[in-house]
Amino acid sequence: MTEDLNNYKFSLKNDNLLLETFNLGIEKKQILIITINREKSLNAVNIDILKSLTNILNHVKNDSNILSIILTGAGNKAFIAGADIKSMSTYSPEEAYNYSVLGQDLVKLINSFEKPIIAAINGYALGGGCEIASACHLRYASENSIFGQPEVKLGIIAGWGGTVNLKKLIGLGNATKLLISGNTINSDEAYRIGLVNMVFPLQNFLLSVIKEVKSFCQNSPNAIKNTLFSINSSDNGESYTIESDLFRDSFKHEDSSAGLSAFLKREKPKFK
Ligand code: CAA
């Protein structure tokens, strides 16, 4: 079935994203599969990727032939290992704030999207990766996946909606534990606490996700659109603002440079 994937024609500035479609066999209706393509950096998301993802979603919003979107990562080790620590390690507090707001704009766009967006999590979903997955309407994971919000181990906080969205998915206690421990959990535990909807074997993982998504693409797109709108109609504006302000503040504290540079030097950070 994955041999049926076709290129999706949309001009991208670089090859950090791969765009393919799966033909649903109903007129020209398709599923769009977006792959984050930075396998060597475990698909860490930089500013270019945030902007490209936002652009493509804004384009697809008006394409009536695309019924649903699957977001995944290249390779079989990572969905997204987080925001790009290499670029973040040189950020001023203002640059960090802008990075947070750009990421939040993307997660808000995903969350409020009128077509279902499904995270196909094929490995590490850490930090910003777990936040992007949490913003999607559904999360399907391969059995080798690892989830977590390790920001506190880097001396910073989650900046792309983690403090806003996780508690809605897995409850306040589970969200707080992930966000302040920085510890990771595996797919079984993620399923147990409701972070993922289903777990599939790694073999033929994308195929299994496509089969699931294909099944609900048979339903009325208009009814799905209105259902998603109704589910997501609560206002999170203030919580997002508090998060990006505090993300900036963490870059004013010496713990952030200690934590971010320790990761790059493969050392244990010394926090104040
Ligand atoms: N940013 C940039 N590069 C990253 C990265 C990230 N988030 N995660 C991994 N990489 C890079 C590594 O630096 C390494 O690159 P080099 O080969 O050039 O050194 C490459 O990907 C492979 O990584 P590892 O050698 O570390 O692979 P591993 O199998 O030993 O470990 C891992 C895998 C446990 C996921 C480890 O890479 C890791 O801990 N990554 C960081 C995860 C993290 O802290 N994410 C949160 C980022 S902060 C954030 O996301 C803020 C926010 O909310 C917006």
Side-chain angles (χ1 to χ4, degrees), residues 5 64 78 117 144 226:
L5 296 181
S64 59
I117 303 185
N144 62 321
N226 288 332

Side-chain angles (χ1 to χ4, degrees), residues 152-251:
V152 286
K153 290 186 187 285
L154 299 168
I156 62 173
I157 72 164
W160 295 347
T163 66
V164 182
N165 292 320
L166 259 186
K167 62 189 176 210
K168 290 188 282 183
L169 270 184
I170 57 177
L172 195 55
N174 287 320
T176 307
K177 193 172 165 199
L178 274 186
L179 286 160
I180 70 167
S181 71
N183 291 338
T184 56
I185 57 172
N186 63 20
S187 293
D188 288 344
E189 178 65 359
Y191 178 70
R192 192 189 68 77
I193 64 174
L195 182 53
V196 298
N197 298 86
M198 285 178 90
V199 179
F200 294 107
L202 181 58
Q203 201 181 10
N204 295 324
F205 171 62
L206 188 58
L207 194 65
S208 309
V209 175
I210 290 174
K211 269 188 192 158
E212 278 298 313
V213 176
K214 206 177 156 193
S215 71
F216 55 72
C217 282
Q218 313 298 317
N219 300 333
S220 153
N222 186 54
I224 288 183
K225 173 181 129 180
N226 288 332
T227 302
L228 292 178
F229 181 80
S230 183
I231 290 173
N232 294 316
S233 53
S234 62
D235 177 25
N236 297 311
E238 200 189 338
S239 318
Y240 278 114
T241 305
I242 293 169
E243 184 185 74
S244 47
D245 283 345
L246 291 171
F247 190 78
R248 169 177 51 203
D249 286 356
S250 57
F251 279 74

